[in-house]
Amino acid sequence: MADDAPVSFLPLGAIIQELRVGGTNIVQGFPTQALYESHNDPFFGETIGRVANRIGGAKLNSLNGGKTYSLATNNGPNNLHGGVIGWGKKIWDGPKPVGVIREIPGIGELDGGGGESVKFTLVSPDGDEGFPGEVAASVVYTVGKQLQKENGKEVLVLGIEYEAELLSGADETVINMTNHSYFNLTGGPSIEGTVVTLATNSYLPVDDGGIPTGGPTAFSKVEGNKAFTLGAVEPDIDDCFVINEDAGSVPIDTRGSPLQKLVWAHHPESKIHLEVYSTEPAFQFYTGKYIDVPAVAGLPARRARSGFCVEPSRYVNAANEEAWKSQMLLKKGEKYGCRIVYRAWKE
Protein backbone atom coordinates (compact mmCIF):
# COMPACT_ATOMS: atom_id res chain seq x y z
CA MET A 1 0.00 0.00 0.00
CA ALA A 2 1.02 3.64 -0.46
CA ASP A 3 2.84 5.27 2.45
CA ASP A 4 -0.20 7.41 3.26
CA ALA A 5 -2.68 4.53 3.03
CA PRO A 6 -5.08 4.30 6.01
CA VAL A 7 -4.42 0.54 6.35
CA SER A 8 -1.16 -1.34 6.86
CA PHE A 9 -0.34 -5.06 6.91
CA LEU A 10 2.51 -7.35 7.94
CA PRO A 11 3.84 -10.60 6.39
CA LEU A 12 3.69 -12.17 9.85
CA GLY A 13 0.23 -13.69 10.01
CA ALA A 14 -0.90 -11.46 7.10
CA ILE A 15 -1.75 -9.18 10.03
CA ILE A 16 -3.89 -6.04 9.83
CA GLN A 17 -1.56 -3.68 11.68
CA GLU A 18 -3.43 -0.39 11.30
CA LEU A 19 -6.91 0.71 10.29
CA ARG A 20 -7.00 4.49 10.64
CA VAL A 21 -10.26 6.43 10.75
CA GLY A 22 -10.24 10.19 11.28
CA GLY A 23 -6.67 10.00 12.55
CA THR A 24 -7.39 7.15 15.00
CA ASN A 25 -6.06 3.63 14.57
CA ILE A 26 -9.14 1.58 15.50
CA VAL A 27 -7.35 -1.80 15.72
CA GLN A 28 -5.00 -2.94 18.46
CA GLY A 29 -1.46 -3.77 17.39
CA PHE A 30 2.26 -3.01 17.60
CA PRO A 31 4.63 -0.80 15.57
CA THR A 32 7.00 -3.62 14.55
CA GLN A 33 6.77 -7.25 13.48
CA ALA A 34 9.23 -8.22 16.23
CA LEU A 35 6.81 -6.97 18.90
CA TYR A 36 4.02 -9.10 17.45
CA GLU A 37 6.36 -12.09 17.72
CA SER A 38 7.12 -11.38 21.38
CA HIS A 39 3.85 -9.95 22.71
CA ASN A 40 0.90 -10.99 20.58
CA ASP A 41 -0.73 -13.60 22.81
CA PRO A 42 -4.17 -12.01 22.10
CA PHE A 43 -3.77 -12.62 18.29
CA PHE A 44 -4.08 -8.88 17.44
CA GLY A 45 -4.96 -8.58 13.73
CA GLU A 46 -3.93 -12.10 12.78
CA THR A 47 -5.21 -14.21 9.89
CA ILE A 48 -6.38 -17.28 11.79
CA GLY A 49 -6.06 -20.82 10.40
CA ARG A 50 -6.19 -23.60 9.74
CA VAL A 51 -9.20 -23.58 12.03
CA ALA A 52 -10.34 -20.48 13.88
CA ASN A 53 -11.79 -20.86 17.37
CA ARG A 54 -11.77 -24.12 19.34
CA ILE A 55 -11.60 -27.78 18.42
CA GLY A 56 -12.92 -29.97 21.23
CA GLY A 57 -10.44 -32.28 22.92
CA ALA A 58 -7.76 -31.10 20.49
CA LYS A 59 -8.67 -33.95 18.16
CA LEU A 60 -10.11 -34.26 14.69
CA ASN A 61 -12.37 -37.28 14.64
CA SER A 62 -13.15 -39.34 11.56
CA LEU A 63 -11.28 -37.77 8.66
CA ASN A 64 -9.76 -39.55 5.65
CA GLY A 65 -11.48 -42.86 6.13
CA GLY A 66 -12.09 -42.67 9.89
CA LYS A 67 -8.65 -41.48 11.05
CA THR A 68 -8.23 -39.43 14.23
CA TYR A 69 -5.71 -36.58 14.30
CA SER A 70 -4.24 -35.21 17.53
CA LEU A 71 -3.66 -31.45 17.75
CA ALA A 72 -1.96 -29.17 20.26
CA THR A 73 -3.83 -28.53 23.52
CA ASN A 74 -3.21 -24.78 23.70
CA ASN A 75 -6.51 -23.73 25.33
CA GLY A 76 -7.26 -26.00 28.27
CA PRO A 77 -8.04 -29.42 26.77
CA ASN A 78 -8.85 -27.88 23.39
CA ASN A 79 -7.08 -26.62 20.29
CA LEU A 80 -7.41 -22.87 19.66
CA HIS A 81 -6.83 -20.83 16.48
CA GLY A 82 -4.79 -23.45 14.65
CA GLY A 83 -2.44 -24.46 17.44
CA VAL A 84 0.75 -23.16 19.01
CA ILE A 85 2.07 -21.82 15.72
CA GLY A 86 -1.10 -21.37 13.71
CA TRP A 87 -1.26 -19.40 10.48
CA GLY A 88 -1.39 -16.12 12.40
CA LYS A 89 2.12 -16.86 13.75
CA LYS A 90 3.68 -17.78 10.38
CA ILE A 91 5.38 -15.58 7.80
CA TRP A 92 3.25 -15.25 4.66
CA ASP A 93 4.54 -14.41 1.19
CA GLY A 94 3.51 -10.87 0.34
CA PRO A 95 2.06 -8.36 0.13
CA LYS A 96 1.99 -8.51 -3.66
CA PRO A 97 -0.06 -6.01 -5.69
CA VAL A 98 -3.18 -7.48 -7.25
CA GLY A 99 -4.49 -4.40 -9.04
CA VAL A 100 -7.43 -2.07 -8.82
CA ILE A 101 -10.82 -3.37 -7.66
CA ARG A 102 -13.68 -1.07 -8.66
CA GLU A 103 -16.51 -2.80 -6.83
CA ILE A 104 -16.96 -5.03 -3.78
CA PRO A 105 -19.98 -7.34 -4.25
CA GLY A 106 -22.65 -6.53 -1.71
CA ILE A 107 -21.04 -3.18 -0.83
CA GLY A 108 -20.99 -1.44 -4.19
CA GLU A 109 -18.62 0.66 -6.25
CA LEU A 110 -15.54 2.21 -4.67
CA ASP A 111 -14.96 5.90 -5.32
CA GLY A 112 -11.85 7.53 -6.71
CA GLY A 113 -11.34 4.98 -9.48
CA GLY A 114 -11.44 1.92 -7.25
CA GLY A 115 -9.55 0.28 -4.40
CA GLU A 116 -5.98 -0.96 -4.17
CA SER A 117 -5.58 -4.72 -3.56
CA VAL A 118 -2.70 -6.80 -2.21
CA LYS A 119 -2.35 -10.56 -1.76
CA PHE A 120 -0.63 -12.76 0.81
CA THR A 121 -0.06 -16.51 0.27
CA LEU A 122 1.00 -19.39 2.49
CA VAL A 123 1.67 -23.09 1.90
CA SER A 124 0.92 -25.14 5.00
CA PRO A 125 2.61 -28.58 4.90
CA ASP A 126 0.92 -31.89 5.56
CA GLY A 127 0.91 -32.42 9.34
CA ASP A 128 1.27 -28.71 10.12
CA GLU A 129 0.23 -28.42 13.80
CA GLY A 130 -1.26 -31.92 13.39
CA PHE A 131 -3.67 -31.06 10.57
CA PRO A 132 -3.76 -33.42 7.57
CA GLY A 133 -2.85 -32.44 4.03
CA GLU A 134 -0.72 -29.82 2.32
CA VAL A 135 -2.81 -26.66 1.88
CA ALA A 136 -2.28 -23.51 -0.17
CA ALA A 137 -4.00 -20.50 1.38
CA SER A 138 -4.36 -16.86 0.38
CA VAL A 139 -5.84 -13.62 1.63
CA VAL A 140 -6.56 -10.62 -0.58
CA TYR A 141 -7.06 -7.22 1.04
CA THR A 142 -8.80 -4.43 -0.87
CA VAL A 143 -8.67 -0.90 0.54
CA GLY A 144 -10.94 1.79 -0.88
CA LYS A 145 -13.41 4.48 0.01
CA GLN A 146 -17.05 5.39 -0.54
CA LEU A 147 -18.85 8.68 -0.06
CA GLN A 148 -22.08 8.58 1.91
CA LYS A 149 -24.75 10.07 -0.32
CA GLU A 150 -26.72 11.59 2.54
CA ASN A 151 -23.87 13.63 4.05
CA GLY A 152 -20.78 13.31 1.82
CA LYS A 153 -18.75 11.68 4.60
CA GLU A 154 -15.88 9.48 3.46
CA VAL A 155 -16.17 5.82 4.44
CA LEU A 156 -13.08 3.62 4.64
CA VAL A 157 -13.74 0.18 3.15
CA LEU A 158 -11.51 -2.85 3.79
CA GLY A 159 -12.48 -6.02 1.94
CA ILE A 160 -10.98 -9.39 2.83
CA GLU A 161 -11.19 -12.51 0.67
CA TYR A 162 -9.88 -15.89 1.83
CA GLU A 163 -9.19 -18.97 -0.27
CA ALA A 164 -7.66 -22.37 0.53
CA GLU A 165 -7.04 -25.49 -1.53
CA LEU A 166 -5.94 -29.00 -0.51
CA LEU A 167 -2.87 -29.90 -2.60
CA SER A 168 -1.65 -33.31 -1.43
CA GLY A 169 -1.07 -35.65 1.50
CA ALA A 170 -4.76 -36.30 2.27
CA ASP A 171 -8.13 -36.59 0.61
CA GLU A 172 -9.75 -34.14 3.01
CA THR A 173 -8.92 -31.66 5.74
CA VAL A 174 -10.69 -28.88 7.67
CA ILE A 175 -10.48 -25.11 7.15
CA ASN A 176 -12.05 -22.15 8.97
CA MET A 177 -10.25 -18.84 8.39
CA THR A 178 -10.99 -15.43 9.88
CA ASN A 179 -9.34 -12.21 11.00
CA HIS A 180 -8.75 -11.56 14.70
CA SER A 181 -8.61 -7.77 14.87
CA TYR A 182 -9.51 -6.08 18.16
CA PHE A 183 -11.45 -2.88 17.54
CA ASN A 184 -11.40 0.17 19.78
CA LEU A 185 -13.45 3.11 18.53
CA THR A 186 -12.89 5.32 21.58
CA GLY A 187 -9.30 6.44 21.08
CA GLY A 188 -8.75 5.54 24.74
CA PRO A 189 -7.72 2.55 26.86
CA SER A 190 -11.16 0.92 27.06
CA ILE A 191 -14.12 0.10 24.83
CA GLU A 192 -16.44 1.38 27.57
CA GLY A 193 -19.25 3.52 26.17
CA THR A 194 -19.24 1.90 22.73
CA VAL A 195 -22.76 1.32 21.40
CA VAL A 196 -23.05 -2.06 19.64
CA THR A 197 -25.75 -3.92 17.73
CA LEU A 198 -25.55 -7.61 16.84
CA ALA A 199 -27.58 -8.85 13.88
CA THR A 200 -28.88 -11.81 15.88
CA ASN A 201 -29.13 -13.20 19.41
CA SER A 202 -29.10 -16.80 18.15
CA TYR A 203 -25.95 -18.40 19.54
CA LEU A 204 -24.26 -21.71 20.35
CA PRO A 205 -24.36 -22.54 24.10
CA VAL A 206 -21.01 -23.90 25.28
CA ASP A 207 -19.40 -25.84 28.10
CA ASP A 208 -16.75 -24.39 30.44
CA GLY A 209 -14.11 -24.87 27.75
CA GLY A 210 -16.01 -23.01 25.04
CA ILE A 211 -17.18 -26.08 23.07
CA PRO A 212 -20.82 -26.04 21.91
CA THR A 213 -23.20 -28.30 23.80
CA GLY A 214 -26.02 -28.04 21.28
CA GLY A 215 -27.52 -26.16 18.37
CA PRO A 216 -28.50 -22.49 18.17
CA THR A 217 -30.61 -21.05 20.96
CA ALA A 218 -31.50 -17.55 22.23
CA PHE A 219 -28.75 -15.53 23.92
CA SER A 220 -29.90 -13.94 27.18
CA LYS A 221 -27.42 -11.10 27.74
CA VAL A 222 -28.35 -8.93 24.74
CA GLU A 223 -31.09 -8.80 22.11
CA GLY A 224 -30.52 -9.15 18.39
CA ASN A 225 -30.91 -6.00 16.30
CA LYS A 226 -31.14 -3.85 19.42
CA ALA A 227 -28.36 -1.48 20.48
CA PHE A 228 -26.59 -1.98 23.81
CA THR A 229 -23.71 -0.14 25.47
CA LEU A 230 -20.47 -1.76 26.55
CA GLY A 231 -19.74 -0.92 30.16
CA ALA A 232 -16.53 -1.13 32.17
CA VAL A 233 -17.11 -4.86 32.86
CA GLU A 234 -20.48 -5.92 31.44
CA PRO A 235 -21.79 -7.34 29.26
CA ASP A 236 -18.94 -9.86 29.20
CA ILE A 237 -19.35 -11.76 25.92
CA ASP A 238 -17.24 -14.42 24.19
CA ASP A 239 -19.77 -16.37 22.15
CA CYS A 240 -20.50 -17.66 18.67
CA PHE A 241 -23.59 -16.05 17.16
CA VAL A 242 -25.39 -17.78 14.32
CA ILE A 243 -26.67 -16.03 11.20
CA ASN A 244 -27.59 -19.15 9.22
CA GLU A 245 -29.21 -21.80 11.43
CA ASP A 246 -29.45 -24.31 8.56
CA ALA A 247 -25.99 -25.73 9.26
CA GLY A 248 -26.04 -28.25 6.42
CA SER A 249 -26.78 -25.60 3.80
CA VAL A 250 -23.47 -23.77 4.26
CA PRO A 251 -21.09 -24.42 1.33
CA ILE A 252 -17.35 -24.86 1.82
CA ASP A 253 -16.95 -21.73 -0.33
CA THR A 254 -19.32 -18.99 0.85
CA ARG A 255 -17.96 -16.26 -1.43
CA GLY A 256 -21.04 -16.55 -3.63
CA SER A 257 -23.38 -16.17 -0.66
CA PRO A 258 -24.99 -12.80 0.16
CA LEU A 259 -22.88 -10.40 2.19
CA GLN A 260 -24.68 -9.72 5.48
CA LYS A 261 -24.12 -7.06 8.12
CA LEU A 262 -23.18 -8.86 11.34
CA VAL A 263 -22.24 -6.12 13.79
CA TRP A 264 -22.41 -2.32 13.79
CA ALA A 265 -20.96 -0.06 16.45
CA HIS A 266 -20.13 3.54 17.23
CA HIS A 267 -18.81 5.65 20.08
CA PRO A 268 -20.80 8.79 20.94
CA GLU A 269 -17.74 10.86 21.91
CA SER A 270 -15.20 9.84 19.26
CA LYS A 271 -17.96 9.82 16.58
CA ILE A 272 -16.30 6.79 14.95
CA HIS A 273 -18.52 4.14 13.37
CA LEU A 274 -17.76 0.55 12.31
CA GLU A 275 -19.77 -2.02 10.36
CA VAL A 276 -18.70 -5.65 9.86
CA TYR A 277 -20.11 -7.71 6.99
CA SER A 278 -19.44 -11.29 5.90
CA THR A 279 -20.63 -14.23 3.82
CA GLU A 280 -20.10 -16.55 6.79
CA PRO A 281 -22.86 -18.36 8.74
CA ALA A 282 -21.67 -17.28 12.19
CA PHE A 283 -19.39 -14.90 14.09
CA GLN A 284 -17.62 -14.87 17.43
CA PHE A 285 -18.18 -11.65 19.39
CA TYR A 286 -15.62 -11.16 22.16
CA THR A 287 -15.37 -8.20 24.53
CA GLY A 288 -11.70 -8.74 25.35
CA LYS A 289 -11.80 -9.95 28.95
CA TYR A 290 -8.44 -11.74 28.74
CA ILE A 291 -6.32 -9.10 26.99
CA ASP A 292 -3.13 -8.60 29.00
CA VAL A 293 -0.33 -6.86 27.11
CA PRO A 294 2.31 -4.79 28.93
CA ALA A 295 3.39 -1.31 27.91
CA VAL A 296 5.91 -1.59 25.05
CA ALA A 297 7.49 0.73 22.48
CA GLY A 298 5.78 3.79 23.88
CA LEU A 299 2.35 2.17 23.72
CA PRO A 300 0.29 1.94 26.92
CA ALA A 301 -0.54 -1.42 28.40
CA ARG A 302 -3.54 -3.12 26.83
CA ARG A 303 -5.73 -4.74 29.48
CA ALA A 304 -9.19 -6.27 29.70
CA ARG A 305 -11.73 -4.64 27.36
CA SER A 306 -9.17 -2.59 25.45
CA GLY A 307 -10.75 -3.96 22.27
CA PHE A 308 -13.60 -6.10 20.99
CA CYS A 309 -13.47 -8.79 18.31
CA VAL A 310 -15.85 -9.75 15.53
CA GLU A 311 -14.66 -13.04 14.00
CA PRO A 312 -16.85 -14.20 11.07
CA SER A 313 -16.56 -17.98 10.78
CA ARG A 314 -18.15 -21.40 10.59
CA TYR A 315 -19.76 -22.97 13.68
CA VAL A 316 -17.34 -23.66 16.55
CA ASN A 317 -16.08 -27.27 16.57
CA ALA A 318 -17.98 -28.03 13.36
CA ALA A 319 -15.14 -30.36 12.36
CA ASN A 320 -16.29 -32.84 15.01
CA GLU A 321 -20.06 -32.43 14.70
CA GLU A 322 -21.55 -34.59 11.96
CA ALA A 323 -24.48 -32.23 11.31
CA TRP A 324 -22.13 -29.25 10.94
CA LYS A 325 -19.02 -30.87 9.51
CA SER A 326 -19.64 -30.05 5.85
CA GLN A 327 -19.16 -26.34 6.68
CA MET A 328 -15.39 -26.75 7.04
CA LEU A 329 -14.64 -30.10 5.37
CA LEU A 330 -12.34 -29.31 2.44
CA LYS A 331 -11.91 -32.13 -0.05
CA LYS A 332 -9.31 -32.44 -2.76
CA GLY A 333 -10.44 -30.65 -5.89
CA GLU A 334 -12.57 -28.15 -3.98
CA LYS A 335 -11.82 -24.64 -2.78
CA TYR A 336 -12.60 -23.10 0.59
CA GLY A 337 -13.50 -19.43 0.51
CA CYS A 338 -15.20 -16.59 2.37
CA ARG A 339 -15.39 -12.80 2.42
CA ILE A 340 -15.35 -10.16 5.17
CA VAL A 341 -15.82 -6.40 4.77
CA TYR A 342 -15.20 -3.59 7.27
CA ARG A 343 -16.75 -0.14 6.72
CA ALA A 344 -15.65 2.64 9.07
CA TRP A 345 -16.04 6.42 9.23
CA LYS A 346 -16.02 9.41 11.53
CA GLU A 347 -18.98 11.78 11.78
Side-chain angles (χ1 to χ4, degrees):
M1 294 289 168
D3 290 340
D4 60 349
V7 185
S8 61
F9 310 103
L10 289 174
L12 175 67
I15 280 171
I16 298 174
Q17 184 182 25
E18 292 181 295
L19 187 62
R20 295 190 298 276
V21 179
T24 299
N25 180 19
I26 66 168
V27 295
Q28 294 289 2
F30 302 94
T32 68
Q33 186 161 293
L35 285 170
Y36 281 91
E37 292 173 337
S38 60
H39 288 85
N40 199 18
D41 290 341
F43 307 94
F44 288 164
E46 292 183 10
T47 297
I48 303 296
R50 287 185 190 189
V51 174
N53 221 306
R54 296 166 178 84
I55 296 177
K59 290 186 182 297
L60 294 173
N61 301 316
S62 191
L63 281 179
N64 295 299
K67 294 180 182 177
T68 297
Y69 296 85
S70 295
L71 311 171
T73 53
N74 63 328
N75 183 248
N78 304 317
N79 179 269
L80 178 67
H81 294 331
V84 177
I85 308 177
W87 289 358
K89 309 293 185 189
K90 297 181 184 294
I91 302 293
W92 292 58
D93 186 22
K96 294 183 177 179
V98 173
V100 175
I101 303 296
R102 301 194 182 280
E103 182 178 358
I104 295 179
I107 294 296
E109 291 187 4
L110 299 174
D111 294 323
E116 185 180 2
S117 293
V118 295
K119 185 176 186 178
F120 291 88
T121 58
L122 177 74
V123 175
S124 174
D126 181 21
D128 187 8
E129 287 290 319
F131 290 91
E134 181 186 35
V135 170
S138 67
V139 53
V140 175
Y141 292 114
T142 299
V143 180
K145 64 180 180 180
Q146 292 178 317
L147 295 179
Q148 292 180 328
K149 294 179 181 178
E150 62 272 20
N151 55 24
K153 292 289 186 181
E154 186 174 283
V155 177
L156 174 63
V157 180
L158 174 58
I160 309 172
E161 182 172 333
Y162 296 117
E163 182 176 283
E165 187 173 10
L166 178 57
L167 302 179
S168 63
D171 293 323
E172 56 189 22
T173 191
V174 287
I175 303 288
N176 180 28
M177 298 174 69
T178 195
N179 183 269
H180 209 292
S181 287
Y182 287 75
F183 299 100
N184 183 322
L185 312 183
T186 73
S190 169
I191 56 176
E192 184 177 358
T194 305
V195 180
V196 178
T197 305
L198 308 183
T200 179
N201 74 332
S202 176
Y203 89 115
L204 300 177
V206 295
D207 62 20
D208 291 342
I211 301 300
T213 56
T217 189
F219 190 68
S220 61
K221 292 184 181 180
V222 300
E223 295 183 43
N225 288 299
K226 185 175 181 180
F228 60 93
T229 300
L230 297 174
V233 177
E234 299 292 343
D236 174 30
I237 303 173
D238 188 7
D239 291 279
C240 182
F241 293 85
V242 176
I243 293 291
N244 183 353
E245 296 190 13
D246 185 2
S249 72
V250 179
I252 189 66
D253 187 347
T254 68
R255 286 176 292 183
S257 302
L259 199 65
Q260 299 189 70
K261 185 161 65 170
L262 308 180
V263 176
W264 49 108
H266 75 277
H267 193 267
E269 294 181 11
S270 73
K271 308 295 185 183
I272 294 174
H273 293 248
L274 172 71
E275 297 174 342
V276 180
Y277 299 76
S278 181
T279 57
E280 291 291 76
F283 64 94
Q284 189 83 8
F285 183 74
Y286 170 45
T287 51
K289 180 179 181 177
Y290 297 107
I291 303 171
D292 188 13
V293 176
V296 290
L299 293 173
R302 268 71 63 85
R303 304 302 187 196
R305 297 175 82 83
S306 61
F308 66 87
C309 292
V310 183
E311 306 160 53
S313 64
R314 312 294 156 97
Y315 289 19
V316 179
N317 199 39
N320 290 325
E321 294 290 339
E322 200 58 40
W324 305 346
K325 195 171 187 175
S326 61
Q327 292 185 4
M328 63 173 72
L329 184 65
L330 178 63
K331 299 180 180 180
K332 207 166 183 183
E334 298 178 338
K335 286 187 177 179
Y336 163 93
C338 71
R339 296 193 298 125
I340 300 170
V341 178
Y342 305 139
R343 296 180 78 247
W345 67 95
K346 184 170 183 175
E347 291 178 28

